[in-house]
Amino acid sequence: MTTLAPAPRTTSAAGPPARFRDLFAAEWIKTRSLRSTPWTIALTVLFVIGSAAVATMTDDAPGSGPAGFRHYDAYPPAGYWTLILIASSMGALGVVSEYGSGLIRVTTVAVPARGSVVLAKAAVTAALWTAVGTIASLGSFLVSQALLAGRHAAVPITHPGVFRAVAASALLAPVCALVGLGLGVLLRHAAATMVTGVFVLLMLPTMFSESDRWSADVKHALVSAAWKRLIETWEPDPASLAYTATVSGSWIVYALWPLLTVALAVLVVRRRDV
């Protein structure tokens, strides 16, 4: 008489779930391992600060009375439109490059919690571009004021409204980078993501004016319009017929755009197959 031997016990090959700090470290390694990243960031910062220097040197406006903050010198649109474009594109490339190469499949097999992967990417993107934006913003302000000092038109950072302009310009980079990342997760194609990012962040605000209430409301809900309001140090003219955005509303726009796009990306990536 023979007896059946008990089946051998099998142990699960799956290890403990990845911790968020491990995901953050992995995403940081991916980001800094790309040779194009430091060069792109360095050239962007130099261009932004250089545009402030050029704008200041070509500003022939005479001073009248006490020196006031010239935000159009410290933060010229050309430099910061470029920053918006580069930050949103780099944020998107952190995602769409993985979809294009198929690396995203390896990532999701290793870490089934796809939402955590997106949040780790967002955390790395926010940290990196906050640092970049801070360097660019402070550099632009310091360079412009150093040049204006020769004309006795410089102001300190404690001048009313200046710190708000510095902070808004520093946070513009991470806001746009996170919007680009969210669009990259949603669209998954490089060309479509780039075009959508440029349209939403740069082109769409120019299509609306502040002369009508509905048009002004749409314009004020966009990132670049919010940045433009935050760097202005004066209050709107009560006699003006334009509908001007509020400072508090512009800060809300800054907060809602990255939060909503990243939250939507996390929701979609959990329900959609890669």
Side-chain angles (χ1 to χ4, degrees):
M1 183 175 180
T2 59
T3 59
L4 295 175
R9 293 182 179 179
T10 59
T11 58
S12 175
R19 295 171 297 183
F20 187 79
R21 65 181 182 182
D22 297 327
L23 297 177
F24 183 91
E27 294 300 330
W28 171 244
I29 291 173
K30 289 180 186 178
T31 300
R32 68 185 179 91
S33 62
L34 294 174
R35 294 183 179 180
S36 60
T37 299
W39 284 106
T40 301
I41 290 174
L43 291 174
T44 302
V45 170
L46 287 176
F47 181 83
V48 171
I49 296 176
S51 67
V54 172
T56 305
M57 289 187 292
T58 56
D59 181 12
D60 297 327
S64 58
F69 177 55
R70 301 184 182 184
H71 69 280
Y72 45 82
D73 288 341
Y75 303 112
Y80 279 82
W81 288 342
T82 303
L83 181 63
I84 290 173
L85 176 62
I86 300 299
S88 61
S89 299
M90 292 292 288
L93 284 175
V95 177
V96 296
S97 60
E98 291 196 31
Y99 279 105
S101 64
L103 181 61
I104 191 66
R105 296 185 181 89
V106 179
T107 302
T108 54
V109 169
V111 185
R114 300 175 184 177
S116 298
V117 173
V118 173
L119 290 176
K121 289 180 180 293
V124 170
T125 300
L128 175 62
W129 284 98
T130 299
V132 174
T134 301
I135 294 171
S137 179
L138 284 175
S140 297
F141 174 77
L142 294 175
V143 166
S144 64
Q145 300 314 302
L147 293 172
L148 288 172
R151 309 178 206 170
H152 305 287
V155 297
I157 198 170
T158 54
H159 189 81
V162 171
F163 184 77
R164 185 183 73 205
V166 173
S169 299
L171 293 175
L172 181 64
V175 167
C176 294
L178 288 172
V179 171
L181 184 144
L183 291 175
V185 174
L186 296 174
L187 300 177
R188 299 191 294 183
H189 297 284
T193 303
M194 301 300 177
V195 171
T196 304
V198 170
F199 178 75
V200 171
L201 295 173
L202 291 177
M203 297 177 63
L204 191 59
T206 64
M207 299 172 62
F208 299 93
S209 68
E210 296 182 339
S211 58
D212 296 316
R213 184 58 182 266
W214 71 269
S215 179
D217 288 341
V218 175
K219 184 182 183 72
H220 298 159
L222 301 172
V223 173
S224 59
W227 168 74
K228 183 180 179 182
R229 176 65 185 92
L230 290 172
I231 65 173
E232 295 175 352
T233 57
W234 60 83
E235 294 300 321
D237 183 4
S240 174
L241 297 178
Y243 296 93
T244 308
T246 62
V247 172
S248 58
S250 299
W251 283 121
I252 292 173
V253 170
Y254 256 44
L256 286 181
W257 269 94
L259 285 176
L260 291 178
T261 50
V262 172
L264 185 59
V266 171
L267 178 64
V268 169
V269 81
R270 286 176 175 173
R271 299 174 178 269
R272 186 176 61 189
D273 193 8
V274 296

